[in-house]
Amino acid sequence: MDFLELMRKRYTTKYYDPEKRIPDDKLERILECLRLTPSSVNMQGWKFYLLDKQSKSQLRPAIPDFNVQRFDTCDKVLVLCAKTDIDYEWTLKVATKQYEDGRFGKDKIEATAKGCLNFAQQHRETDGIFNWTARQTYIAMATVLYACAAEGIDTTAIEGADFSKVNEIMKLAEQGFQATSLILMGYRSEKDSNTLDKRPKSRLNADEVIIKI
């Protein structure tokens, strides 16, 4: 299936089959796609927590009533988190990994780290580091939604949660992160009310949202 077909056929799942599990090989492919997600200046100012049936229960107090049913029945929950600050230690880590991966010579590590830190500083002085890194996690969200679709896995992107509770429960502040969103993963129930045969996909017409100049 090509990407356009994925876009046409993927939808937000409302009801999951609680008995179905995502095979490990599919899950690992999805997580590798997540790891490869692009970010601004390759900063990768994020962390992702994959919770299974048992570990996800800790977050249930943060889930409002309207999302509890799908939260309870999905197989996995991915918690997307953004760094609340970027320091030289982080940019040096990223620059060193780029050197190890062959992107440039060893003599470029320090300059790359300092350049990225200067770029981060611009965001600190305007919209703030967290606002910048949080936006990057939505690129990661899109990666996961469509990597899952390519593997035949259903998903629900969730902002409807008490993320202050998520942060508290997972002790994210102590790690220098805040949660931005959740992705529920699993297989749709046969009784799912949001399948495309019941609720066709609807978007504004192209000429209303795409302006060719």
Side-chain angles (χ1 to χ4, degrees):
M1 187 184 300
D2 66 20
F3 194 74
L4 181 57
E5 277 302 293
L6 287 179
M7 293 291 291
R8 286 172 171 159
K9 292 186 176 181
R10 188 258 162 201
Y11 76 98
T12 296
T13 300
K14 301 296 185 182
Y15 293 88
Y16 287 90
D17 185 334
E19 303 303 319
K20 290 187 177 180
R21 299 289 178 266
I22 301 171
D24 289 344
D25 61 331
K26 289 180 177 287
L27 188 60
E28 290 307 313
R29 286 173 58 83
I30 292 163
L31 295 178
E32 179 62 1
C33 289
L34 173 61
R35 187 183 73 88
L36 293 171
T37 296
S39 60
S40 179
V41 295
N42 202 22
M43 190 68 75
Q44 302 167 71
W46 49 38
K47 187 175 287 188
F48 310 106
Y49 292 85
L50 183 68
L51 309 182
D52 62 16
K53 280 284 186 181
Q54 183 174 357
S55 59
K56 72 175 182 175
S57 63
Q58 66 181 303
L59 295 187
R60 202 172 189 278
I63 307 301
D65 290 345
F66 61 86
N67 273 328
V68 162
Q69 183 279 140
R70 57 191 64 103
F71 178 87
D72 284 350
T73 55
C74 72
D75 183 34
K76 299 286 191 295
V77 174
L78 187 69
V79 184
L80 286 69
C81 307
K83 280 184 70 63
T84 54
D85 196 18
I86 298 289
D87 57 16
Y88 183 67
E89 181 181 2
W90 184 264
T91 61
L92 182 61
K93 174 182 178 180
V94 172
T96 300
K97 184 63 166 68
Q98 292 183 77
Y99 155 68
E100 292 171 350
D101 288 339
R103 287 179 61 84
F104 45 69
K106 193 172 184 178
D107 61 317
K108 301 291 186 184
I109 295 175
E110 184 177 354
T112 300
K114 289 181 177 178
C116 287
L117 186 62
N118 288 337
F119 193 84
Q121 181 62 26
Q122 295 177 33
H123 287 278
R124 179 179 286 108
E125 295 171 355
T126 54
D127 52 348
I129 293 293
F130 176 70
N131 284 330
W132 176 46
T133 56
R135 290 194 296 269
Q136 307 301 307
T137 67
Y138 285 87
I139 304 174
M141 175 188 285
T143 294
V144 172
L145 296 183
Y146 289 97
C148 284
E151 297 290 341
I153 310 299
D154 297 306
T155 52
T156 307
I158 297 247
E159 285 187 316
D162 185 338
F163 286 102
S164 63
K165 285 186 179 179
V166 173
N167 294 332
E168 180 182 355
I169 292 167
M170 298 185 68
K171 297 179 170 51
L172 294 175
E174 293 92 323
Q175 304 172 57
F177 290 87
Q178 288 186 36
T180 62
S181 57
L182 309 175
I183 301 177
L184 312 184
M185 304 162 62
Y187 291 96
R188 71 191 71 169
S189 165
E190 293 181 359
K191 299 178 180 179
D192 189 13
S193 61
N194 209 37
T195 54
L196 296 178
D197 59 322
K198 301 183 184 77
R199 302 187 71 192
K201 189 180 291 289
S202 176
R203 300 290 189 270
L204 293 174
N205 292 333
D207 59 4
E208 295 180 272
V209 296
I210 302 171
I211 311 304
K212 298 177 181 179
I213 299 175

